[in-house]
Amino acid sequence: MSNGNADTSPVGQRPITRADLEAKFSQLRGSTTASQSQRNAGLAAVILAGVALVLGAYLLGRLRGRKRRTIVEVVRA
């Protein structure tokens, strides 16, 4: 039967040292850098697609404006 003590550590009876904490944090940080680089690549792709969309819309609008532009000739008499 349990006596209600929650002081049992998963490592055993030895105390948790600074080296144990640093090792675990570096392990966790290593797993997050891979997902972070994937996220950065996805973000770069989204930004690039947005810039391409805006540039394409600008160029198409400029082309359409040139086709519909009226030329006015002023003649002095």
Side-chain angles (χ1 to χ4, degrees):
M1 243 176 132
S2 174
N3 59 3
N5 288 341
D7 294 329
T8 58
S9 64
V11 179
Q13 294 299 331
R14 70 180 184 99
I16 298 174
T17 64
R18 181 181 181 123
D20 293 335
L21 293 174
E22 288 176 351
K24 188 62 175 177
F25 287 144
S26 67
Q27 180 186 10
L28 292 172
R29 192 177 312 130
S31 66
T32 58
T33 55
S35 65
Q36 187 177 13
S37 65
Q38 289 174 348
R39 188 176 351 165
N40 288 344
L43 182 63
V46 168
I47 290 172
L48 184 62
V51 168
L53 182 69
V54 169
L55 184 63
Y58 170 76
L59 292 175
L60 286 175
R62 188 172 173 190
L63 178 66
R64 184 173 177 191
R66 283 187 179 172
K67 285 183 179 179
R68 298 181 74 190
R69 184 174 22 190
T70 306
I71 298 174
V72 177
E73 186 175 335
V74 178
V75 179
R76 288 189 166 173

